[in-house]
Amino acid sequence: MIIDGHAHLILPVEKHLALMETAGVERTLLFTTRVHPERAHDLETLNQELRIFNEIIAGKVNNDLQSFQQAVSEAAQVIQQYPERFTGFANVPLGLTQEETATWIEKYVLPAGFRGFGEFTMQSGAVHQLEVIFACASEYGNLPLWVHTLPPLNLDDIHQLVALSRRYPRVPLILGHMGGMYWRETIALAKEVPQTYLDLSGTITFLGPRIAIHELPMRTLFSSDAPFGHPLIARTIVEQATVDTAVRRRVLGENLAELLHLN
Amino acid sequence: MIIDGHAHLILPVEKHLALMETAGVERTLLFTTRVHPERAHDLETLNQELRIFNEIIAGKVNNDLQSFQQAVSEAAQVIQQYPERFTGFANVPLGLTQEETATWIEKYVLPAGFRGFGEFTMQSGAVHQLEVIFACASEYGNLPLWVHTLPPLNLDDIHQLVALSRRYPRVPLILGHMGGMYWRETIALAKEVPQTYLDLSGTITFLGPRIAIHELPMRTLFSSDAPFGHPLIARTIVEQATVDTAVRRRVLGENLAELLHLN
């Protein structure tokens, strides 16, 4: 099964399904979204859509509980509408107590059938906020976490994230975007920590996916990060980075299907 | 004609030609190279190849005249061997006087048939070193310059580069990698300055090429930055970012063919 391991809902959903068709993607792991850059057609409208994007990523705006709840509810509706095409991860607010977080998860995440938590984004120096999330993920059957490892996070933050992961060895941790410009260091860290996975979206050089797949063929995951990326381009990267077709199939979907117990 | 607008020589050259075949690329604009990451097969050998890469980019090592001369001579040989498949830009050392630079260009660059200068890389704060190059390019028939605009350059450096370009309006300036994370600002700058071109390699999000082509269809250039990028992936990006086939043809080769007076 070909699974796009990370995409934000593109509106209207028919446009998202058409992109999946173009790339031969059978299922997409969907993440909630609070901006829609795919609606922009030029620089001016794009700047309007992305105006508050960096503030959202840093957790400074759209960070209230109602905003999270609305985004999760939107994603849940699409997943219920197309259960054969979408599986979802739910975003969970940071900064709550463990009890408050558990209440939130039980109310909004588990009943809607989400299979994991994320995408988590935060300011540099704030990785410790994920401690509560790791603890809850561990309680609810070791659901996987998906963490954005591009700026504002830096290499120190990525080290702290992996150190936190070592304390929860049964909770799978997906290193979203594979550390960005720190991809070589992130691959090296992932090699040491067996419950970590490398997400291939947003990488700046083709060398990153090629070396990641070579080093960790069972723990590297194809994904587009649509609408910031594109499923066909992301699939072409994996196809050009692999020679062995069994490895290619694992990266394009089998690794994620096993992790999420799909089929 | 489909032209890969920026690639470093992959060794052996047959491997480079095979990559071009895979992507349907008829001609490649070749740049000299002093590292060969394509030879690495795993993280350890890649780290060895890239050990000195950041120092080279910052102009700290391999920066002697002999090292430049050798790289230019290697590229010239390949171009003479395959004149139908490769066209070249020559790197020129920074930090020489205008007279020394002119002597160097007359001795090593012009006789070997290079069509422009670059890839220029430098430390942040050192963009003024290009003044001599702009002056020489202007003297030798307005040959185009190709400047790397990723780190260590930052947005201030990119502003300085474009300010310098405004003083030489007849010298085409290719903004290599389109400013990296500053791609929105770089597109906006390029819109104001008609002799600038946007190079599509190394961009971190599909939104960059899509918006760049929309805003400047006659001044946006397809390129792979192989071996850091891959021609087929780069071509897929342009194809997915364009609907109008006339625009697609311009970006995939016609813009660059006009700029370099090819055919």
Side-chain angles (χ1 to χ4, degrees):
Chain A
M1 195 195 309
I2 310 292
I3 310 174
D4 181 348
H6 184 72
H8 300 276
L9 180 60
I10 288 173
L11 295 175
V13 64
E14 289 72 25
K15 202 172 156 191
H16 205 135
L17 291 165
L19 266 182
M20 290 165 63
E21 288 296 329
T22 303
V25 167
E26 293 159 84
R27 182 177 284 277
T28 291
L29 183 54
L30 204 61
F31 291 70
T32 56
T33 184
R34 288 166 283 172
V35 290
H36 285 282
E38 73 276 10
R39 292 191 288 220
H41 61 278
D42 61 11
L43 188 60
E44 192 183 337
T45 51
L46 183 72
N47 280 336
Q48 282 164 13
E49 282 288 342
L50 295 185
R51 194 173 42 84
I52 57 165
F53 181 67
N54 290 334
E55 280 71 25
I56 291 176
I57 288 284
K60 291 176 188 165
V61 298
N62 278 19
N63 207 28
D64 56 295
L65 293 185
Q66 198 191 338
S67 166
F68 271 85
Q69 186 188 326
Q70 196 179 326
V72 166
S73 159
E74 274 173 11
Q77 276 175 32
V78 172
I79 293 162
Q80 281 155 19
Q81 198 182 349
Y82 297 96
E84 305 294 320
R85 309 306 304 276
F86 293 114
T87 300
F89 270 30
N91 211 337
V92 176
L94 298 178
L96 304 182
T97 65
Q98 187 166 339
E99 199 183 328
E100 287 165 344
T101 306
T103 304
W104 209 87
I105 288 170
E106 286 176 19
K107 189 163 177 189
Y108 299 113
V109 179
L110 300 181
F114 288 100
R115 303 290 187 111
F117 305 118
E119 165 177 13
F120 294 102
T121 60
M122 66 215 78
Q123 296 185 54
S124 177
V127 163
H128 62 87
Q129 289 189 315
L130 290 173
E131 169 102 52
V132 166
I133 306 292
F134 273 94
C136 285
S138 175
E139 288 225 350
Y140 294 110
N142 297 311
L143 288 173
L145 310 187
W146 205 105
V147 181
H148 170 98
T149 63
L150 294 184
L153 294 201
N154 59 33
L155 188 55
D156 274 351
D157 296 308
I158 295 169
H159 274 281
Q160 286 172 38
L161 175 61
V162 174
L164 186 56
S165 173
R166 286 181 195 269
R167 293 170 42 208
Y168 295 90
R170 301 188 62 187
V171 176
L173 169 65
I174 301 171
L175 297 162
H177 319 303
M178 211 168 81
M181 65 183 293
Y182 307 108
W183 58 272
R184 288 191 281 152
E185 294 87 344
T186 303
I187 293 172
L189 282 169
K191 283 180 74 176
E192 292 175 7
V193 183
Q195 72 275 16
T196 60
Y197 290 76
L198 295 168
D199 164 75
L200 293 180
S201 65
T203 48
I204 49 175
T205 164
F206 173 65
L207 298 173
R210 183 160 76 76
I211 299 294
I213 293 169
H214 175 86
E215 294 289 348
L216 294 170
M218 311 288 280
R219 291 197 273 133
T220 301
L221 309 174
F222 154 64
S223 90
S224 72
D225 196 19
F228 299 96
H230 185 293
L232 180 61
I233 297 163
R235 182 170 178 171
T236 306
I237 291 172
V238 173
E239 287 178 345
Q240 295 301 315
T242 48
V243 177
D244 183 323
T245 54
V247 169
R248 186 178 299 162
R249 278 198 306 273
R250 289 215 67 91
V251 174
L252 285 177
E254 289 173 9
N255 287 342
L256 192 59
E258 273 179 26
L259 181 62
L260 302 183
H261 312 294
L262 295 170
N263 295 347
Chain B
M1 195 194 307
I2 310 292
I3 310 174
D4 181 348
H6 185 71
H8 300 276
L9 180 60
I10 288 173
L11 294 175
V13 63
E14 291 71 24
K15 202 171 157 190
H16 205 135
L17 291 165
L19 265 182
M20 288 164 65
E21 288 297 328
T22 303
V25 167
E26 293 160 83
R27 183 177 284 277
T28 290
L29 183 54
L30 205 60
F31 291 70
T32 56
T33 183
R34 288 166 285 173
V35 291
H36 285 283
E38 73 276 10
R39 294 193 285 223
H41 61 278
D42 62 11
L43 188 59
E44 193 184 336
T45 51
L46 182 73
N47 280 338
Q48 282 163 14
E49 282 288 342
L50 295 186
R51 193 174 41 86
I52 58 165
F53 181 67
N54 290 335
E55 279 72 24
I56 291 176
I57 288 283
K60 290 178 190 163
V61 298
N62 279 18
N63 207 28
D64 56 294
L65 293 186
Q66 198 191 338
S67 168
F68 271 86
Q69 188 188 326
Q70 196 180 328
V72 166
S73 159
E74 274 172 12
Q77 275 174 33
V78 172
I79 292 162
Q80 282 154 20
Q81 198 183 349
Y82 297 97
E84 305 294 318
R85 311 305 304 276
F86 293 115
T87 300
F89 270 29
N91 211 336
V92 176
L94 298 177
L96 304 181
T97 65
Q98 187 166 337
E99 200 184 329
E100 288 166 342
T101 306
T103 303
W104 209 88
I105 289 171
E106 286 175 18
K107 188 165 179 188
Y108 300 114
V109 179
L110 300 181
F114 289 101
R115 305 289 188 109
F117 305 117
E119 168 177 13
F120 294 102
T121 60
M122 66 215 78
Q123 297 185 52
S124 178
V127 163
H128 62 88
Q129 289 190 314
L130 291 173
E131 169 102 49
V132 166
I133 306 291
F134 273 96
C136 285
S138 176
E139 287 224 349
Y140 294 110
N142 297 311
L143 287 173
L145 310 186
W146 205 106
V147 182
H148 169 100
T149 63
L150 294 183
L153 295 201
N154 59 34
L155 187 55
D156 274 351
D157 296 309
I158 296 169
H159 274 282
Q160 285 172 38
L161 175 61
V162 174
L164 186 55
S165 173
R166 286 181 196 268
R167 293 171 40 209
Y168 295 90
R170 301 188 63 187
V171 175
L173 169 66
I174 301 170
L175 298 161
H177 318 304
M178 210 169 81
M181 65 182 292
Y182 306 110
W183 59 271
R184 288 191 281 151
E185 294 87 344
T186 302
I187 294 171
L189 282 169
K191 284 180 73 175
E192 291 174 8
V193 183
Q195 72 275 17
T196 59
Y197 290 76
L198 296 168
D199 164 75
L200 293 179
S201 65
T203 47
I204 49 176
T205 163
F206 173 66
L207 298 173
R210 184 160 76 75
I211 299 294
I213 294 169
H214 176 85
E215 295 288 349
L216 293 169
M218 311 288 279
R219 291 197 274 133
T220 300
L221 309 174
F222 154 62
S223 91
S224 71
D225 197 19
F228 300 95
H230 186 293
L232 180 61
I233 296 163
R235 182 170 178 169
T236 305
I237 290 172
V238 173
E239 286 178 346
Q240 294 302 314
T242 47
V243 178
D244 183 322
T245 54
V247 169
R248 187 178 298 163
R249 279 198 306 272
R250 289 217 67 91
V251 175
L252 285 176
E254 289 174 8
N255 287 342
L256 191 60
E258 274 180 22
L259 181 61
L260 303 183
H261 312 295
L262 295 169
N263 297 346

